[in-house]
Amino acid sequence: EAGVTQFPSHSVIEKGQTVTLRCDPISGHDNLYWYRRVMGKEIKFLLHFVKESKQDESGMPNNRFLAERTGGTYSTLKVQPAELEDSGVYFCASSQGGTVFNSPLHFGNGTRLTVT
Amino acid sequence: GENVEQHPSTLSVQEGDSAVIKCTYSDSASNYFPWYKQELGKGPQLIIDIRSNVGEKKDQRIAVTLNKTAKHFSLHITETQPEDSAVYFCAASRGSGNTGKLIFGQGTTLQVKP
């Protein structure tokens, strides 16, 4: 079974530019999450999709961040325009339907974003 | 708001020794507590989890304990090996409902010296 795949693994952009991160969840997983770890701090929740619907986007920092999951398969996270404080590692995770009790999260390897 | 405090931030032990990482959570409604191990260049991987109706859970060399009254939970690794070196994250979640939102601690970098 292929794991959660994220692309690119690294991205270096200048302040003001746009970057789009992609996540391919494990096949058949309805739940898809985006998390972010900034500069050695805790991993913070950004949002949660159930299929193509946003279930919880309470962690999205501001309107410069846009997440989509068209068709309920892969997801993209766009940052436009990027700011210095957006630098960090962006993780995607997926799980099957149901609760975390019986369907734990599987994380991808992350995208390291550096905004200069 | 909800938060999880994790200590220590770094931990260095000799191979064969035990390692203990402690976390404290603030949301009394949390009932699911997973631990993740992150190796260099990889994403966090679930190594063990515990639900609030259980006080302790073991899986070979790793164990997790939970004190709901004090809102503390801990990860214990015995007979540490160099391959245990990684960053470890604790997390807490309200497990009920169709949500997997995890509140993570700040992470502990564990170094096991051969």
Side-chain angles (χ1 to χ4, degrees):
Chain A
E1 176 185 76
V4 176
T5 306
Q6 292 188 245
F7 183 83
S9 57
H10 294 84
S11 181
V12 181
I13 61 172
E14 292 183 352
K15 176 181 172 180
Q17 290 185 322
T18 297
V19 63
T20 300
L21 314 181
R22 174 172 169 143
C23 168
D24 286 76
I26 293 172
S27 178
H29 281 194
D30 288 339
N31 293 306
L32 187 149
Y33 307 85
W34 285 98
Y35 283 81
R36 175 175 75 170
R37 189 182 192 209
V38 173
M39 278 298 290
K41 295 189 176 180
E42 72 270 27
I43 300 172
K44 277 195 169 182
F45 168 84
L46 296 179
L47 90 159
H48 169 205
F49 283 100
V50 177
K51 297 184 180 179
E52 67 275 8
S53 299
K54 291 177 184 175
Q55 182 80 3
D56 181 353
E57 51 184 329
S58 61
M60 294 289 265
N62 49 61
N63 58 11
R64 295 185 295 104
F65 289 75
L66 175 64
E68 294 180 321
R69 191 182 183 195
T70 307
T73 54
Y74 70 92
S75 174
T76 58
L77 179 65
K78 182 194 290 188
V79 185
Q80 179 183 30
E83 297 289 345
L84 298 178
E85 63 265 25
D86 300 332
S87 296
V89 181
Y90 289 76
F91 291 106
C92 176
S94 72
S95 69
Q96 290 182 321
T99 72
V100 291
F101 286 149
N102 52 19
S103 183
L105 273 63
H106 298 264
F107 281 81
N109 289 339
T111 293
R112 180 174 296 279
L113 174 65
T114 303
V115 183
T116 62
Chain B
E2 305 156 340
N3 75 297
V4 174
E5 295 291 328
Q6 181 172 348
H7 298 281
S9 56
T10 60
L11 180 58
S12 181
V13 300
Q14 209 65 38
E15 182 177 0
D17 287 350
S18 295
V20 180
I21 302 170
K22 299 182 178 182
C23 290
T24 304
Y25 61 97
S26 62
D27 183 2
S28 56
S30 296
N31 55 9
Y32 174 69
F33 307 91
W35 286 86
Y36 285 83
K37 175 183 180 182
Q38 185 185 8
E39 297 176 331
L40 198 60
K42 296 188 177 181
Q45 286 204 316
L46 180 69
I47 55 172
I48 194 168
D49 57 16
I50 191 169
R51 302 183 190 187
S52 60
N53 58 348
V54 175
E56 183 176 1
K57 183 177 178 181
K58 285 185 179 179
D59 183 2
Q60 299 181 343
R61 295 186 298 108
I62 59 173
V64 58
T65 58
L66 171 66
N67 182 331
K68 276 209 74 179
T69 303
K71 291 194 263 186
H72 290 169
F73 59 114
S74 301
L75 177 72
H76 304 251
I77 306 174
T78 58
E79 300 171 24
T80 54
Q81 300 167 3
E83 51 265 37
D84 294 329
S85 297
V87 180
Y88 290 81
F89 292 95
C90 63
S93 173
R94 297 183 180 187
S96 59
N98 188 19
T99 176
K101 179 179 178 180
L102 300 175
I103 307 300
F104 281 91
Q106 296 87 346
T108 296
T109 301
L110 173 64
Q111 181 187 29
V112 180
K113 299 177 186 175

